[in-house]
Amino acid sequence: MDFTPSEEQAAAQGLAARIFGDLSTHDRLVGAGSGTDAELWKELCAAGLLGAVEETGLLGLVLLAEEQGRTTAQVPFVASCVYGLLAVAGHGTDEQRGRLLPPLRDGTAVAAGAFSARDQVHAEKGGRLSGSVPLVPWLRDATHVLVAAADRSLWIVRTADPGVLTEPVETTAPWSAGRLVLAGAPAERLGGPGAYEEVLGSARTAFAGVQAGVCAGSLARAVEHTGAREQFGRPLSTNQAVLLRAADAYMDTEAIRVTAYEAAWRHDEGLPYGEQALTAAWWASEAGRRVVHAGQHLHGGTGADLDHPVHRHFLWGRQLDAHLGGSGTVLQELGELLVKEGPE
């Protein structure tokens, strides 16, 4: 395995780090409320970072996802890339790619993914969908939604079409989420057998990358705070308990990062990566929760302030834990997969 970024991946990550760092500031995040930062989205699209994902692969997306998570940037970047660009590029027909990819590349179209309640959506004759998904991140921004039906088929739904109802939902993290209700909504099929598993694995890997960035950002804030804050005439960072807590958080963050890199690398190399995607999701859920709690704890009473920047990392970390399914559920699915595949 070689996780060394290519020249193109490194350049895209550097550009993303600069744009997210410059524009996703605490004041701008406060001003955006629970919605999307339209100016930041416009800047990312103008820089060509969405289209770059097609060239840099899933590993490239994970690197960019880290930068979004590090700054908790309120844009549908990862969602639109994984449920839109990569899904259509990997499983769409020539006609679908020619029609859907250009607007997804320039950001005039935004994709969201409705995978969390697969058994609640059913495909009917004539390519119509009925059912509801209680929570779809970034749905309020989406022009298209990639919906997983009960039979594990994938369908693209346009939010502007009749039979499609979207209702705003406020979540722990400000992800412009909504409830999707489908009543005989027109839809077009995307991909065939195996498409559901591939897109779900890619999404788990990409959002694990977001969690790696969220945790890195939380830890960086904790390091800065404990280095500057003094107690009994010494920085808090000289306290052994603080050092050990920060060290544990660092190791957890690196575990999330390396498992996400491995899953993404195997995907890009055309290797089986279902187990690795679940492993990355488990680390992102289980360890991510520990890290953002540590970030809060190391800030002491300051971390309990809902307006403090570190609290946003805490909210994102907990929301990502829920979005990935929770560590217990993910671990059970991983165990069932290992039993099914048997010893090598």
Side-chain angles (χ1 to χ4, degrees):
M1 292 180 289
D2 183 5
F3 302 152
T4 304
S6 66
E7 184 178 344
E8 292 78 9
Q9 289 169 338
Q13 184 181 25
L15 179 58
R18 181 180 63 78
I19 294 175
F20 282 127
D22 288 347
L23 295 182
S24 187
T25 62
H26 177 62
D27 290 341
R28 288 179 61 86
L29 290 169
V30 171
S34 63
T36 290
D37 187 330
E39 183 179 340
L40 173 56
W41 180 246
K42 182 179 179 181
E43 188 71 21
L44 292 168
C45 297
L49 284 174
L50 281 83
V53 171
E54 288 182 85
E55 303 298 326
T56 59
L58 185 56
L59 181 55
L61 176 56
V62 168
L63 294 171
L64 301 183
E66 279 191 73
E67 301 306 327
Q68 178 176 4
R70 196 185 309 274
T71 57
T72 59
Q74 291 175 201
V75 286
F77 181 77
V78 172
S80 194
C81 284
V82 75
Y83 295 123
L85 273 168
L86 294 185
V88 173
H91 301 284
T93 63
D94 290 341
E95 189 277 332
Q96 286 175 321
R97 288 196 292 268
R99 171 167 48 88
L100 296 173
L101 287 179
L104 286 168
R105 290 187 190 113
D106 63 24
T108 55
V110 176
F115 276 61
S116 60
R118 176 172 53 83
D119 294 336
Q120 297 182 25
V121 176
H122 298 273
E124 303 169 349
K125 290 183 179 180
R128 294 184 176 271
L129 301 181
S130 292
S132 64
V133 182
L135 179 63
V136 180
W138 309 111
L139 180 61
R140 280 180 268 168
D141 297 324
T143 57
H144 298 76
V145 185
L146 186 61
V147 181
D151 60 357
R152 297 199 171 192
S153 58
L154 294 182
W155 301 82
I156 299 173
V157 171
R158 283 169 34 94
T159 55
D161 282 345
V164 181
L165 175 65
T166 62
E167 302 171 342
V169 174
E170 295 297 332
T171 59
T172 302
W175 284 2
S176 296
R179 177 172 180 259
L180 178 68
V181 180
L182 304 171
E188 57 179 307
R189 182 74 180 267
L190 182 72
Y196 168 83
E197 289 78 9
E198 196 278 331
V199 173
L200 179 58
S202 296
R204 283 169 165 160
T205 303
F207 282 102
V210 176
Q211 186 74 300
V214 169
C215 291
S218 175
L219 183 58
R221 292 189 182 279
V223 169
E224 181 182 8
H225 174 78
T226 57
R229 184 90 171 190
E230 291 189 357
Q231 187 178 57
F232 306 119
R234 297 190 307 165
L236 287 173
S237 59
T238 61
N239 185 299
Q240 187 179 40
V242 171
L243 289 170
L244 292 174
R245 190 75 187 275
D248 286 342
Y250 174 78
M251 289 188 290
D252 274 338
T253 300
E254 288 303 296
I256 299 169
R257 177 179 287 117
V258 74
T259 52
Y261 284 5
E262 180 184 10
W265 176 82
R266 289 181 66 88
H267 171 276
D268 292 345
E269 292 294 314
L271 300 170
Y273 74 107
E275 294 177 15
Q276 288 74 20
L278 281 166
T279 301
W282 181 84
W283 274 104
S285 182
E286 178 75 13
R289 186 171 62 248
R290 287 198 297 264
V291 173
V292 295
H293 274 268
Q296 287 273 86
H297 190 195
L298 290 173
H299 277 76
T302 306
D305 183 353
L306 300 184
D307 295 325
H308 195 282
V310 77
H311 189 68
R312 188 173 289 105
H313 292 272
F314 175 78
L315 297 179
W316 273 64
R318 292 309 305 261
Q319 189 66 45
L320 281 162
D321 171 27
H323 182 62
L324 289 165
S327 59
T329 300
V330 173
L331 188 61
Q332 179 179 351
E333 186 176 344
L334 177 58
E336 291 171 352
L337 178 61
L338 292 174
V339 169
K340 181 180 177 180
E341 293 182 350
E344 295 183 358

